[in-house]
């Protein structure tokens, strides 16, 4: 027998940024406080039949009032960073026009509390809570322009303390899911031409946001976006399947991350859409392709792909019905997706830096007799995904940090409070927060800067 191989250390690089993520409508509540304007999610959640049991974000985790307690939870974990989102309708209740100082003051308080605790704020400017007052929502090109103005205003007011901004969160969700399948607010089911135009307005908004942050922020402020591209795992790690995965990644995310990082719509996409392709004005593509300081990736479920003799060169496999998933039926477990997300983006576009801006899972948590929540399924999920993130950093891909979704249970969009993603349990009656086993586990990961 030969010698046993040396144990592989799952140590992360020094300075790796561990954090947690949330978003405004999912946690803040206080939807009429201090002049906040109405958003399309307020309207949608209050429309009969749209969310689980008709639940809304009216109260959520009441973080508008309890933010200091949330920061304490982060501190307990030893988190170095916190990704939260800013509610556009708190800053500009009508989407445009006169800034609402009381809304800005909330984020001043949150940011100051984070900094006091040595936690670096990472702010998302738009996580789906579009001001209701903007005529036509994302159907209108004016909304992209309004977003740019809003982004510039926030940068001016916060960039003395917030050094990292993400423009948009998951473009496919607030375009396709919102205006094509109608599952998300505002719940429309439009045709292909209209949807492509909406996607165009969204990537344009992102680009205008990048430029506005740069024009208004103090020097050294970094700007990127947070995307949830479909990620393709090669069925076998052989060169032909790896090549297929790379092609699939670029093509299947064509109007979103591919267009933004190339500053150009992939030709195949424009050909495929023909007369339904977006109407592009001169100068748009330069704005859309504005260089980024980092790319944020929200990583959840995998797709499997293999090489194929077709023109596209790849074939996406349908999942067997026995394929395992977490409490959310869409959340298929496939930890390798973490590695392939990072590798695909790096090989295709070589960004300066990558953050995992979201990763985590829902679970059917329960309290045992002693009041503990032993969410071993979530620990299993996270440990495996982080093991594959370790593979990526050990191969020198430029991953700088990881944000766990989510700090605490919150309003899970159409699933209301029926799906829990937190590592802190929230009792929605009392608003009491309580660490699950996964929180204690994550604290160890952060303390040791290693997965175990
Ligand atoms: C992220 O979306 C969001 O950024 C975050 O706000 C959210 O809370 C978190 O993940 C957990 O869901 O019903 O089959 O059509 C992840 C991407 C896109 C996954 C929409 C769920 C609906 C699937 N999400 N999708 S389905």
């Amino acid at each position: 027998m030969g010698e046993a191989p040396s144990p592989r250390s799952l140590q992360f690089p020094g300075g790796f940024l561990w954090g947690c993520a949330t978003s405004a409508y999912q946690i803040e509540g206080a939807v009429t406080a201090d002049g906040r304007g109405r958003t399309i999610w307020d309207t949608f959640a209050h429309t009969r039949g749209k969310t689980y049991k008709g639940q809304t974000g009216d109260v959520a985790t009441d973080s508008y009032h309890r933010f200091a307690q949330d920061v304490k939870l982060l501190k307990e974990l030893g988190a170095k960073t916190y990704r939260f989102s800013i509610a556009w309708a708190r800053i500009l209740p009508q989407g445009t026009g006169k800034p609402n100082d009381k809304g800005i003051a909330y984020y001043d308080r949150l940011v100051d509390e984070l900094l006091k605790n040595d936690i670096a704020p990472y702010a998302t400017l738009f996580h789906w809570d579009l001001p209701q007052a903007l005529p036509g929502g994302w159907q209108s090109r004016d909304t992209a322009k309004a977003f740019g103005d809003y982004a510039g205003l926030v940068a001016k007011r916060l960039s003395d303390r917030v050094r990292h901004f993400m423009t948009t969160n998951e473009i496919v969700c607030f375009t396709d899911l919102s205006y094509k399948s109608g599952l998300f607010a505002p719940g429309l089911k439009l045709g292909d031409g209209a949807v492509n135009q909406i996607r165009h307005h969204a990537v344009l908004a992102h680009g205008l946001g990048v430029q506005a942050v740069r024009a208004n922020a103090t020097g050294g402020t970094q700007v990127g976006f947070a995307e949830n591209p479909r990620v393709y795992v090669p069925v076998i790690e052989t060169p032909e399947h790896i090549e297929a995965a790379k092609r699939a990644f670029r093509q299947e995310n064509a109007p979103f991350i591919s267009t933004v990082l190339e500053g150009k719509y992939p030709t195949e996409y424009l050909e495929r859409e023909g007369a339904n392709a977006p109407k592009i004005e001169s100068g748009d593509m330069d704005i859309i392709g504005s260089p980024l300081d980092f790319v944020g990736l929200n990583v959840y479920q995998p797709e499997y792909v293999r090489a194929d003799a077709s023109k596209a060169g790849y074939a996406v496999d349908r999942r067997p019905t026995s394929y395992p998933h977490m409490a959310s039926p869409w959340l298929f477990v496939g930890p390798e997706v973490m590695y392939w997300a990072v590798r695909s983006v790096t090989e295709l576009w070589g960004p300066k830096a990558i953050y995992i801006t979201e990763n985590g899972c829902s679970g059917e948590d329960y309290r045992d007799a002693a009041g503990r929540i032993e969410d071993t399924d979530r620990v299993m999920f996270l440990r495996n995904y982080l093991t594959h993130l370790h593979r990526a950093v050990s191969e020198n891909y430029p991953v700088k940090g990881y944000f766990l979704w989510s700090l605490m249970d919150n309003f899970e969009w159409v699933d209301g409070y029926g799906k829990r993603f937190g590592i802190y349990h929230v009792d929605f009656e009392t608003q009491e927060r309580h660490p699950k086993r996964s929180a204690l586990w994550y604290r160890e990961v952060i303390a040791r800067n290693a997965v175990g």
Side-chain angles (χ1 to χ4, degrees), residues 14 108 114 118 127-128 137 144 152 164 208 246 274 278 305 316-317 353-354 367 388 395 418 423 427 448:
D108 278 331
L114 287 165
D118 295 318
H127 199 125
W128 311 349
H164 296 84
L208 288 167
K246 194 164 150 182
V305 74
V316 177
D317 282 318
I354 293 176
R367 274 174 189 260
H388 286 267
E395 291 179 17
I423 57 173
D427 178 330
R448 289 194 264 153

Side-chain angles (χ1 to χ4, degrees), residues 17 89 94 123 145 174 185 267 288 313-314 360 444 446:
L17 293 170
Q94 301 302 306
K145 164 94 178 34
F174 69 88
T267 327
I288 292 166
Y314 65 88
E444 278 298 309
I446 297 175

Side-chain angles (χ1 to χ4, degrees), residues 101-417:
D101 286 329
K102 284 187 174 169
I104 298 172
Y106 167 66
Y107 297 103
D108 278 331
R109 291 195 292 278
L110 170 62
V111 165
D112 292 345
E113 189 67 22
L114 287 165
L115 293 176
K116 211 168 77 190
N117 285 281
D118 295 318
I119 298 166
Y122 279 58
T124 311
L125 293 165
F126 179 66
H127 199 125
W128 311 349
D129 44 357
L130 191 73
Q132 180 71 67
L134 290 168
W138 288 110
Q139 288 178 266
S140 168
R141 190 180 162 96
D142 291 344
T143 296
K145 164 94 178 34
F147 177 76
D149 295 344
Y150 153 67
L153 172 67
V154 174
K156 198 173 279 169
R157 302 290 284 262
L158 293 180
S159 67
D160 57 331
R161 288 153 294 151
V162 178
R163 315 299 291 144
H164 296 84
F165 288 97
M166 285 141 287
T167 53
T168 48
N169 182 72
E170 301 187 347
I171 295 171
V172 69
C173 292
F174 69 88
T175 56
D176 290 24
L177 281 180
S178 301
Y179 293 88
K180 186 179 176 188
S181 69
L183 195 74
F184 279 10
L188 301 182
K189 292 182 184 170
L190 305 178
D192 292 348
V195 170
N196 285 325
Q197 200 58 39
I198 286 164
R199 293 166 169 176
H200 185 70
H201 297 155
V203 289
L204 182 64
H206 153 78
L208 288 167
V210 171
Q211 298 199 348
V213 169
R214 292 240 166 83
N216 290 281
T218 54
T221 304
Q222 303 216 338
V223 58
F225 67 160
E227 277 292 274
N228 63 326
R230 281 179 184 276
V231 178
Y232 295 86
V233 174
V235 279
I236 310 176
E237 289 194 16
T238 55
E240 72 270 29
H241 295 307
I242 291 174
E243 179 58 26
K246 194 164 150 182
R247 281 170 188 246
F249 193 104
R250 179 167 179 268
Q251 286 308 327
E252 301 292 324
N253 299 300
F256 308 112
I257 194 171
S258 308
T259 295
V260 169
L261 296 184
E262 295 175 23
K264 188 172 168 300
Y265 282 103
T267 327
E268 297 85 343
Y269 167 71
L270 294 178
E271 282 170 4
R272 199 162 60 229
E273 298 301 325
N276 288 324
K279 314 277 172 293
I280 305 168
E281 293 188 13
S282 92
D284 284 2
M285 297 318 295
D286 286 344
I287 296 168
I288 292 166
S290 301
L292 302 179
D293 298 301
F294 65 89
V295 169
L297 298 173
N298 296 355
V299 181
Y300 290 96
Q301 82 284 22
E303 310 288 336
Y304 291 92
V305 74
R306 63 190 149 80
D308 184 74
S310 63
K311 184 157 168 264
Y314 65 88
V316 177
D317 282 318
R318 216 182 79 194
R319 260 180 287 261
T321 52
S322 56
Y323 196 98
H325 61 77
M326 302 305 287
S328 306
W330 57 268
L331 218 183
F332 295 104
V333 183
E336 321 89 292
V337 68
M338 190 59 102
Y339 171 76
W340 287 100
V342 170
R343 178 164 164 180
S344 305
V345 168
T346 308
E347 287 188 353
L348 283 164
W349 303 297
K352 287 189 205 145
I354 293 176
Y355 290 91
I356 303 305
T357 33
E358 283 181 31
N359 172 241
C361 68
S362 49
E364 283 166 16
D365 306 323
Y366 72 98
R367 274 174 189 260
D368 66 17
R372 283 190 299 247
I373 297 168
E374 297 292 347
D375 56 338
T376 47
D377 55 347
R378 182 172 289 105
V379 173
M380 173 281 292
F381 181 99
L382 295 169
R383 183 187 275 136
N384 279 286
Y385 276 65
L386 283 181
T387 299
H388 286 267
L389 183 61
H390 182 268
R391 179 183 176 196
V393 297
S394 67
E395 291 179 17
N396 280 319
Y397 290 106
V399 188
K400 306 294 177 206
Y402 170 90
F403 296 85
L404 198 160
W405 185 276
S406 180
L407 174 62
M408 60 201 158
D409 298 332
N410 58 48
F411 178 73
E412 176 56 14
W413 306 110
V414 291
D415 292 329
Y417 302 98

Side-chain angles (χ1 to χ4, degrees), residues 437-449:
R437 175 61 63 188
S438 53
L440 307 176
W441 174 83
Y442 193 42
R443 191 175 69 189
E444 278 298 309
V445 168
I446 297 175
R448 289 194 264 153
N449 197 30

